[in-house]
C-alpha cells in the first residue's frame, strides 16, 4: 500500500491505495504534506484537487474499500446520491430494502473509509438537520455548501 498526504481546504487528506484501487481517504486537522505522490495515487490526488477547485463533481478512479458485505452495500448506495443533493438516513434505508435498518445504515455510513468520494456527507437527518459525521459537522456543512448548485449564503 502507498500513502500520500495532500492539503485541502478542510485539512490534510490521507490517501492510501495500491494498483487494486484506493482503500482509504481520510481527513485530519494537521499533518505533513507529501513532497512526491506515488504513481498509483496520482489520479486520486488530481481528481480530489479538481473537486476542491470546483472542476469535478464525480470521481472515476478505482475504489477498493475494506468492509463487511453490508457495509459495502451501504457504501455503494451512497455512490448513487447525486452531487449537490442529499438523502435522509430513512431514505437510504428504504433504498437498501429495510426501513428498520436505519441504525445499521447510519453505522455503516460512519465507517465509510473513502471521505468525499463515497459521499456519506450527503446523508442528513429526516428533519433536514446535519447529523453525525466522522470528519466533524463543520466539514459536512462545508462540503454540502461547496456542492450546492445555487450560490446561496448558507444551507444551514
Amino acid at each position: 500500500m502507498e500513502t500520500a498526504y495532500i492539503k485541502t481546504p478542510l485539512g490534510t487528506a490521507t490517501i492510501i491505495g495500491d494498483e487494486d484501487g484506493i482503500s482509504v481517504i481520510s481527513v485530519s486537522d494537521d499533518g505533513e504534506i507529501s513532497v512526491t505522490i506515488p504513481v498509483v495515487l496520482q489520479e486520486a490526488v488530481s481528481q480530489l484537487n479538481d473537486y476542491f477547485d470546483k472542476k469535478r463533481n464525480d470521481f472515476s478512479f478505482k475504489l477498493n474499500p475494506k468492509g463487511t458485505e453490508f457495509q459495502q452495500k451501504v457504501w455503494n448506495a451512497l455512490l448513487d446520491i447525486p452531487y449537490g443533493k442529499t438523502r435522509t438516513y430513512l431514505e437510504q434505508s428504504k433504498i437498501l430494502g429495510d426501513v428498520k435498518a436505519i441504525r445499521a445504515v447510519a453505522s455503516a455510513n460512519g465507517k465509510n473509509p473513502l471521505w468525499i468520494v463515497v459521499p456519506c456527507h450527503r446523508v442528513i437527518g429526516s428533519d433536514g438537520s446535519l447529523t453525525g459525521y466522522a470528519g466533524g459537522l463543520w466539514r459536512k456543512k462545508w462540503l454540502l455548501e461547496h456542492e450546492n448548485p445555487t450560490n446561496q449564503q448558507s444551507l444551514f
Side-chain angles (χ1 to χ4, degrees), residues 14-81:
T14 301
I15 301 134
I16 302 171
D18 58 22
E19 58 280 342
D20 293 327
I22 304 300
S23 299
V24 175
I25 301 174
S26 61
V27 66
S28 63
D29 291 328
D30 55 345
E32 288 200 27
I33 306 305
S34 296
V35 176
T36 58
I37 306 296
V39 172
V40 295
L41 305 180
Q42 287 177 358
E43 187 59 31
V45 168
S46 175
Q47 289 186 29
L48 282 165
N49 286 329
D50 285 350
Y51 169 87
F52 284 113
D53 290 339
K54 286 200 163 253
K55 296 176 184 172
R56 167 177 293 280
N57 55 19
D58 61 356
F59 300 93
S60 59
F61 54 86
K62 188 175 178 183
L63 306 178
N64 190 22
K66 306 294 186 235
T68 67
E69 185 178 330
F70 179 76
Q71 289 170 334
Q72 297 278 350
K73 185 177 174 184
V74 170
W75 300 335
N76 282 328
L78 290 169
L79 293 170
D80 293 331
I81 304 173

